Amino acid sequence: MTTTDTLMAAVREGKVSAVIELVTDMTTEERRAAVPELKALRIELRKELWSNRARQIRPALHAAGAACHSGAAAAAAWISGSEMAWAPAAPPVLLNLLANRDRQWQADVAARLANRPESAGVPFALMSGLVRLSGCEVPTTDSYVRGWLNSSTTTWQLSGPLLAERLGRDAHLVPLVNALFELDDIGWRLEWTYGQDDAQGWIPALAQLTEQGLLDRRTMIDGCVARLLRGGSTVDQRAFLTLFKALSPTREEERERTGDWMALATDAAVAIAFHAQSVLTALALDGELTARQLAEMSRGVLFRPEKKLVRAQLVLLGKVLRASPSEASALLPAVAEGFGHPDTDLQERAVKLVERWAGRADQGARDEMLASAELLSGALRPRAAAALGVVPEALEAGTPEVYEEILPPVPLARRVDPAPETVEELAEEVGALLAARTEDVAVFERVLDGLVRHTYRDHEALVEALRPVVAGRWWYPEDGPRASADNNFRARPYGVEVVLASLFDGVKPSTLHKALRKDGSQRSDCVHAKLERPWRARLYETAYRLRTEPLPFLLSTPTWASGLLEAGELVARLGEYRRLGAPVAEADFAQALRRVRHDVPADPDASVGVAAAATALGTPEGDRLAALLTAPAPAAPAAEIVGTESRLLVRTGGVPELRSRELPPFFRPLGAPVDPTERGQQCYHWGFPAYPHWLAILPGERETVAARLLAVVSAGAVDDIPLEVGYLPLLAESPGPVGDALLLSVAYGAGARRAEERVAAVDALLVLAASGQLDTDRLGELLGRLMAMGAVKPVRVVECVRTAAATGACGTVWGLLRAALPALLAGPAAGTAAARGAGDLLAVAAECVERAGGRGELPHLAELAARRGGSRLLTQARRLHTLLTEEDASAATT
């Protein structure tokens, strides 16, 4: 029995101690000879990753491989192998085996392990042990430094010396701490405290070590400031600002970095900018900032949107001007930067400073301020003109500009391009589709049709072209089918992935067939399931037919990106199916019928001709298409708004055409009535993975889709649940009538939790307005009701309407707010804290009236404007009331 055989027997029995004893006595040649056997066993165990046998063998295998590889690169690759992490040899075992190696070899292995990503799971004890054995310089890689952080604060150390004391004994403290300033996503680790003693936290420990002189103070302070200048995540920025404060910088240390504070006050995140502003404020009030520096800083800060920062900067400028009136010429032009701020209260603060100190400014400064005064709202321009010594009409010189509403271009209907002609082109498009975060329906449909067509023509050529694209996908069967992938596909198709997996035998035909039958028989009240089931069924059916009876092409590929299919194209496809003798797939044909464009034919006579051509095919499918084309257009289901305790929803009647027994079972639930008061209308599947396809399932019926999703969408505003509402612009672009369900969807989107969700609502609003489909009065009425009942927060709506107005849609926004504000101003919220954001809404309304024109009474506005007080709500109410009722109010035409 050879030495290799003896070693392999010990490894297969999982005897780590025996492995250590054997490899210690083996020569270098004997160790090298054992490597191929060890590699073969490693490959063998890959097929049973979770088995008890593999778990028992792997620690011994890990140790033996580490000891037998003679090259540093090969040893490091073996030690850090991904499957070894499931049951590795303990670091002391590996260090014992590698202790007698050459120091340069140990240093090389340590460096290679330290360069592995943190996700590789290389133990820090092993890396640091090799550094200690070799005496090499400590690595400062991401993995090593993060491992050092974690190992320094493990639970078992909490009862021992304080963190600062333990770190102070570390011979590599300085280079490792310096490396902290280079790491991303490190803030949460620095902020963490261990135990009940705050001194066990990293930040106080680093501050203490700096105070003791073990860490260089200038390096630490410069490192913190450099990290703040670099930017990064909010947590990282907060952590390094906290560390900077913990170092207790002196006034001299702060003054040395004046340029850095000016840059941070102008461009950094809000919390960092506040601190920078406070440092600069102290320096300015002590006379340690020149007028030029203060003016430069002020121009940057006053350009920022954050009102608190701008307000504090104007206060600082006022204090400096009182102390040094002679600096008015240098500082007042910077004050004029505040004229362009969207908040009119801040504009007025800037104007007040100009009114008070303009007399001390020279003519050059006055001319500069006069140029900026054009940015002021209409009511403030005369005051600025008077303060600067010019006739107010000078700011309105020339022919008054006639307001013109600016809306985005109406999206044009997009045709779906034909499927790629070659397998190479198709492979490129498959790769792009797999890499996309959100699927484009047109791209998805042509790729799906392309996969079907090329499978029918030459399955082997298609597989070879796709192999480089899909190799490495989670389902890709490298060594045979994966049971885990098959189980996952049983639950969901993962878009086009299920079709690709079917091509490569990564999912069993029986699994596809069972999933298809399940989608047909499953009963669920989940709104996602009802909308997604036809889409899933079509994918499962397509994937199944690729393996059993490939289709020549798909009947249901739409003509247009909206999902609509021209009837003439479907007739031609059915004719080709008849010629080829190809059987029609149930889900494919059902989806094709739902996509046929027959509701508003451009030429009724042509529609009759297409129906005749369908009948002439002499097939059941042709007859069904002809019947569909000659039937009268179905009436829209009745709909009404239903108010619950916290939201407004829409109840709709059923759609008989969708509940027909001629349709497959997975289509019929879409025809059920929508009653949001019934149990089960909502669900916990908050992600909308297939939302681009839902409108293409029922093209031309966007109200049906919107009504079904309304209960879920409302949760984004009412319950602050993050949602994917990117389908709102798609709703607006899709064909079909606009009703309360769509308008409520936009209203809830305007009150959604995340900014990107609110941007989607703005996009939908502008698209509807541009296409002439927006009923601003009705949307405003619904939005006002939602704000009054607390379902939508006014402070979030402000961002949306201000963004829409900034694009040039002031007339649209004013029409919307004119209808929304009365409900908000009528309730008790108008005078309470619940009206947060109402003053800002009034400000946006006033800005829109100033630009687009508007006259007349707004219900409840006069009473609010007559109240005494200086709150933002009352100030803006007076402003808007004056604009709407003054005799010489501008009435620009739209």
Side-chain angles (χ1 to χ4, degrees):
M1 191 173 187
T2 65
T3 306
T4 297
D5 292 338
T6 304
L7 176 64
M8 294 306 300
V11 170
R12 289 184 179 277
E13 292 176 8
K15 296 181 178 179
V16 176
S17 57
V19 168
I20 296 173
E21 185 176 344
L22 285 168
V23 297
T24 301
D25 296 332
M26 291 170 68
T27 65
T28 301
E29 290 72 18
E30 288 174 331
R31 293 183 183 184
R32 287 175 180 167
V35 169
E37 293 284 344
L38 294 170
K39 288 182 176 180
L41 179 57
R42 178 181 180 179
I43 294 173
E44 178 186 329
L45 293 181
R46 284 177 180 170
K47 298 180 181 180
E48 43 181 310
L49 189 64
W50 297 94
S51 71
N52 291 331
R53 172 175 173 268
R55 288 175 175 274
Q56 180 183 357
I57 294 175
R58 196 165 279 116
L61 176 64
H62 194 203
C68 290
H69 280 87
S70 58
W78 180 276
I79 291 170
S80 59
S82 58
E83 69 270 30
M84 294 299 182
W86 293 103
V93 170
L94 297 176
L95 290 172
N96 182 33
L97 289 170
L98 305 179
N100 295 325
R101 295 292 185 98
D102 178 79
R103 287 194 171 191
Q104 184 58 44
W105 186 92
Q106 293 169 341
D108 194 356
V109 172
R112 292 177 183 276
L113 293 177
N115 276 302
R116 294 284 290 161
E118 186 182 14
S119 59
V122 179
F124 175 75
L126 175 61
M127 293 187 288
S128 61
L130 288 170
V131 170
R132 184 179 66 255
L133 288 172
S134 66
C136 66
E137 292 187 5
V138 63
T140 54
T141 63
D142 188 285
S143 294
Y144 194 93
V145 177
R146 292 180 192 275
W148 173 68
L149 277 171
N150 291 337
S151 67
S152 299
T153 49
T154 51
T155 304
W156 64 269
Q157 292 173 315
L158 296 181
S159 58
L162 294 178
L163 177 60
E165 184 179 343
R166 296 199 304 275
L167 294 177
R169 297 197 296 262
D170 193 327
H172 305 297
L173 173 67
V174 173
L176 290 173
V177 170
N178 290 344
L180 289 178
F181 295 105
E182 303 299 324
L183 296 185
D184 291 322
D185 191 28
I186 201 69
W188 67 273
R189 300 179 189 233
L190 295 181
E191 289 186 328
W192 197 269
T193 56
Y194 305 86
Q196 298 179 349
D197 190 347
D198 289 341
Q200 286 284 60
W202 271 95
I203 289 177
L206 293 175
Q208 183 178 341
L209 291 169
T210 303
E211 184 179 355
Q212 294 171 355
L214 295 177
L215 295 172
D216 181 67
R217 181 174 183 82
R218 174 172 287 276
T219 300
M220 293 294 291
I221 291 178
D222 284 344
C224 289
V225 175
R227 272 308 294 259
L228 298 178
L229 287 167
R230 184 173 115 187
S233 69
T234 302
V235 177
D236 277 5
Q237 294 277 283
R238 184 178 65 227
F240 283 102
L241 178 60
T242 304
L243 176 57
F244 177 83
K245 292 178 179 178
L247 295 172
S248 302
T250 64
R251 175 56 62 85
E252 178 61 28
E253 290 171 328
E254 291 179 333
R255 183 170 55 251
E256 288 176 358
R257 297 163 177 82
T258 296
D260 295 331
W261 299 124
M262 291 174 63
L264 290 170
T266 301
D267 297 319
V270 177
I272 311 304
F274 277 138
H275 180 78
Q277 186 185 46
S278 67
V279 172
L280 293 170
T281 296
L283 293 173
L285 294 179
D286 288 344
E288 297 183 82
L289 275 189
T290 66
R292 183 189 61 80
Q293 288 176 316
L294 180 56
E296 180 184 348
M297 168 206 177
S298 298
R299 289 180 184 277
V301 174
L302 295 178
F303 189 74
R304 296 184 62 126
E306 298 89 359
K307 290 185 283 188
K308 187 175 180 180
L309 275 171
V310 174
R311 188 179 300 111
Q313 193 67 22
L314 291 173
V315 170
L316 170 62
L317 288 166
K319 291 180 178 179
V320 173
L321 284 168
R322 282 196 298 273
S324 304
S326 60
E327 303 291 358
S329 295
L331 296 179
L332 284 181
V335 171
E337 286 289 336
F339 290 174
H341 198 278
D343 187 282
T344 54
D345 285 349
L346 295 175
Q347 289 184 16
E348 186 172 10
R349 284 176 178 265
V351 169
K352 286 180 178 179
L353 283 177
V354 171
E355 287 175 328
R356 181 168 184 179
W357 301 107
R360 300 293 188 101
D362 59 30
Q363 190 59 46
R366 287 168 173 268
D367 292 341
E368 191 174 346
M369 287 185 282
L370 191 62
S372 298
E374 295 181 358
L375 301 174
L376 289 166
S377 65
L380 293 174
R381 288 179 198 168
R383 289 175 54 181
L388 295 171
V390 300
V391 179
E393 287 72 16
L395 294 179
E396 310 292 343
T399 305
E401 183 179 348
V402 177
Y403 173 77
E404 180 180 358
E405 186 86 347
I406 300 175
L407 294 171
V410 179
L412 299 176
R414 284 190 301 134
R415 269 191 171 271
V416 176
D417 293 332
E421 286 294 329
T422 66
V423 290
E424 292 77 17
E425 291 175 315
L426 178 59
E428 289 183 11
E429 296 218 12
V430 168
L433 184 65
L434 293 176
R437 180 180 178 273
T438 301
E439 292 177 351
D440 180 281
V441 171
V443 175
F444 174 86
E445 290 290 350
R446 71 189 299 265
V447 166
L448 186 63
D449 188 42
L451 291 172
V452 172
R453 288 175 183 268
H454 285 288
T455 300
Y456 185 80
R457 296 173 190 170
D458 191 341
H459 175 273
E460 294 302 322
L462 176 61
V463 167
E464 286 307 308
L466 287 174
R467 195 179 301 280
V469 176
V470 302
R473 302 297 292 184
W474 59 271
W475 49 263
Y476 186 71
E478 295 179 358
D479 303 313
R482 296 184 179 183
S484 59
D486 202 68
N487 288 333
N488 282 333
F489 280 125
R490 185 176 291 111
R492 54 184 292 200
Y494 296 92
V496 77
E497 300 250 17
V498 71
V499 179
L500 295 170
S502 180
L503 281 172
F504 285 86
D505 298 335
V507 57
K508 299 175 183 177
S510 58
T511 298
L512 298 170
H513 188 256
K514 289 177 182 177
L516 180 60
R517 291 180 58 188
K518 179 182 177 182
D519 270 340
S521 61
Q522 183 180 6
R523 299 185 64 185
S524 171
D525 289 324
C526 170
V527 293
H528 297 79
K530 285 184 173 68
L531 284 166
E532 202 166 302
R533 209 178 299 167
W535 177 74
R536 291 162 51 100
R538 180 165 168 253
L539 286 170
Y540 280 132
E541 180 187 75
T542 302
Y544 178 71
R545 293 294 295 267
L546 290 184
R547 296 284 294 279
T548 56
E549 191 175 11
L551 303 170
F553 50 83
L554 291 176
L555 295 171
S556 55
T557 303
T559 307
W560 305 98
S562 64
L564 289 171
L565 172 60
E566 297 295 343
E569 289 190 30
L570 181 54
V571 171
R573 293 173 188 175
L574 287 173
E576 183 65 10
Y577 260 63
R578 185 186 65 172
R579 187 186 70 80
L580 295 171
V584 173
E586 181 184 40
D588 183 35
F589 182 61
Q591 180 63 85
L593 287 181
R594 293 313 311 166
R595 286 177 167 171
V596 167
R597 186 172 195 163
H598 66 280
D599 51 345
V600 187
D603 184 350
D605 294 334
S607 182
V608 173
V610 174
T615 302
L617 292 173
T619 63
E621 292 79 18
D623 293 341
R624 286 180 61 185
L625 176 58
L628 181 69
L629 293 172
T630 54
E640 62 175 337
I641 288 184
V642 178
T644 67
E645 183 177 347
S646 60
R647 64 197 80 196
L648 299 177
L649 301 171
V650 172
R651 177 190 288 135
T652 68
V655 182
E657 296 78 14
L658 287 173
R659 308 188 76 176
S660 169
R661 302 298 297 180
E662 291 185 342
L663 287 175
F666 38 78
F667 258 104
R668 295 173 200 158
L670 289 177
V674 176
D675 189 347
T677 62
E678 287 184 359
R679 181 183 177 186
Q681 289 299 313
Q682 299 188 53
C683 72
Y684 297 100
H685 306 103
W686 301 117
F688 287 4
Y691 74 85
H693 303 281
W694 293 343
L695 288 161
I697 291 172
L698 298 173
E701 301 178 45
R702 57 182 170 182
E703 269 295 295
T704 299
V705 176
R708 291 203 170 278
L709 290 176
L710 196 55
V712 178
V713 172
S714 66
V718 179
D719 304 319
D720 276 354
I721 295 174
L723 297 174
E724 176 58 81
V725 295
Y727 76 96
L728 287 180
L730 293 180
L731 268 179
E733 295 174 16
S734 297
V738 176
D740 286 340
L742 198 161
L743 295 178
L744 280 170
S745 298
V746 175
Y748 283 121
R753 174 182 176 180
R754 298 184 299 184
E756 57 266 34
E757 296 166 355
R758 298 192 289 272
V759 169
V762 173
D763 290 342
L765 173 73
L766 295 177
V767 167
L768 290 172
S771 60
Q773 298 175 300
L774 180 63
D775 185 342
T776 53
D777 289 338
R778 182 58 173 167
L779 177 57
E781 177 192 348
L782 294 173
L783 183 60
R785 289 173 63 184
L786 291 175
M787 289 191 292
M789 66 191 297
V792 169
K793 297 178 175 63
V795 70
R796 294 177 179 173
V797 177
V798 170
E799 296 182 29
C800 291
V801 294
R802 181 171 285 148
T803 300
T807 67
C810 292
T812 299
V813 172
W814 166 235
L816 176 67
L817 292 178
R818 182 180 56 204
L821 285 171
L824 184 63
L825 301 180
T832 68
R836 181 171 173 261
D840 291 318
L841 282 176
L842 289 171
V844 174
E847 292 163 13
C848 290
V849 169
E850 286 179 346
R851 297 177 188 176
R855 296 293 300 276
E857 292 285 345
L858 190 68
H860 313 293
L861 181 64
E863 296 89 333
L864 190 62
R867 294 184 187 179
R868 298 180 62 184
S871 68
R872 178 164 179 76
L873 177 67
L874 299 180
T875 301
Q876 295 302 325
R878 297 186 195 106
R879 176 188 173 199
L880 178 58
H881 181 65
T882 300
L883 288 169
L884 292 175
T885 58
E886 63 185 359
E887 290 300 323
D888 60 343
S890 172
T893 59
T894 60

